[in-house]
Amino acid sequence: MSDDAPTRTDVDRTPPAVAVVDAQSPGNVGTIARAMKNFGFDDLLLIDPPELDPDGEAYGFAGHAREDVLPDADEITFDHLAENYHTIGCTAVTNEDDRSHTRFPYSTPAALAERLPTVEGPTALVFGRERVGLTNEELARIDEICSIPASAEYPVLNLGQAATVTLYELRSLTLEDTQLPDLERVRAPEQTIDRLYDQWAALLEEINHPAEKRDKTMRMLRRVYGRADLTEREATTLVGLLRRATDRPAEN
């Protein structure tokens, strides 16, 4: 175990560490390290890990996480994990209830994303073995359980997939900005939207759309565009297209 492994006295430890228990495949450890790098997590804890050869699968699968997350991982014992962290065991849904359970109830990753920002203290997301996950004895020592909603017919995810989905859902704990551009939209001015509706009305008249249906058609168009939150560029482009369509019959 590393001499630098944190203890519960480090109450300002945030975001959660990621602990992997007895993984059999070095590739899965590398995949988890890569997902951590993708979503802003950097504290990897390994319990009984496979050999992680710098020239092998783990580093090959880790992407840029081979430079920091993976080589900086701490190898610890399960006892140390349970004694020094609030542990969140990530496991498949077992269809158990409060009458028959090893651990019940469970949270989803999305629910954790809402709750964990208000919790101070060292927390670890714990992922188990590829085939059997966490044992009942280990689950009994885990503080709470998290499970990814999936098909009732086949809810079991690959270890690397489960970690990736969970860390994605929890990215709000670590990332203020992502590579995605600003998603806010600026709605076109009402005058531009009114021009769009006027041009639609002109087109309906030009193509001899039945007069008794025009009001109903215009109401439908207002509902559609109202939901779309058109930008000024989008609305102006549509006005231009409709104007050309309106003028074309006259040209012929």
Side-chain angles (χ1 to χ4, degrees):
M1 182 176 69
S2 168
D3 293 337
D4 299 325
T7 67
R8 283 196 187 276
T9 58
D10 303 311
V11 295
D12 59 347
R13 226 214 62 73
T14 185
V18 176
V20 185
V21 179
D22 195 20
Q24 304 301 298
S25 166
N28 273 329
V29 177
T31 297
I32 292 172
R34 179 172 185 153
M36 292 173 63
K37 186 78 171 181
N38 289 146
F39 303 118
F41 295 82
D42 55 22
D43 190 1
L44 177 60
L45 307 175
L46 301 176
I47 294 92
D48 297 325
E51 182 178 354
L52 303 179
D53 183 350
D55 295 321
E57 255 189 9
Y59 280 79
F61 283 27
H64 286 184
R66 72 169 68 91
E67 300 168 2
D68 43 26
V69 177
L70 194 53
D72 292 346
D74 289 315
E75 186 172 343
I76 65 173
T77 65
F78 192 89
D79 286 342
H80 181 89
L81 178 71
E83 292 166 4
N84 291 281
Y85 290 86
H86 177 87
T87 49
I88 302 172
C90 300
T91 184
V93 177
T94 60
N95 295 322
E96 294 175 340
D97 57 27
D98 58 359
R99 296 166 297 176
S100 173
H101 61 90
T102 299
R103 292 306 306 271
F104 184 87
Y106 56 86
S107 300
T108 64
L112 288 177
E114 294 181 0
R115 182 169 62 79
L116 288 182
T118 65
V119 179
E120 185 178 25
T123 301
L125 306 167
V126 185
F127 296 91
R129 303 156 187 82
E130 286 88 341
R131 294 188 62 186
V132 298
L134 297 167
T135 66
N136 285 343
E137 291 77 11
E138 289 164 345
L139 288 172
R141 300 183 66 188
I142 294 287
D143 294 306
E144 60 177 305
I145 296 298
C146 172
S147 190
I148 298 170
S151 167
E153 295 181 0
Y154 190 48
V156 181
L157 277 73
N158 167 275
L159 173 58
Q161 293 174 328
T164 300
V165 170
T166 301
L167 296 175
Y168 167 78
E169 290 282 9
L170 297 178
R171 69 195 183 283
S172 60
L173 302 179
T174 57
L175 300 178
E176 293 184 3
D177 300 303
T178 70
Q179 90 286 2
L180 291 178
D182 187 355
L183 297 180
E184 292 184 0
R185 295 168 61 87
V186 179
R187 187 184 294 114
E190 288 304 309
Q191 297 90 333
T192 305
I193 297 297
D194 287 341
R195 284 172 50 213
L196 176 60
Y197 293 142
D198 289 344
Q199 197 61 57
W200 262 114
L203 178 61
L204 293 179
E205 181 177 356
E206 186 64 37
I207 64 174
N208 294 319
H209 188 66
E212 68 275 12
K213 294 183 178 180
R214 291 178 194 175
D215 285 346
K216 184 176 182 180
T217 300
M218 289 304 300
R219 287 196 298 272
M220 179 196 70
L221 290 169
R222 286 179 179 275
R223 289 198 302 271
V224 171
Y225 287 129
R227 293 193 300 269
D229 288 331
L230 296 175
T231 65
E232 184 166 15
R233 181 175 182 179
E234 290 168 342
T236 301
T237 299
L238 288 171
V239 168
L241 291 172
L242 291 168
R243 182 181 293 120
R244 289 188 62 188
T246 303
D247 294 343
R248 184 62 59 84
E251 293 175 1
N252 292 336

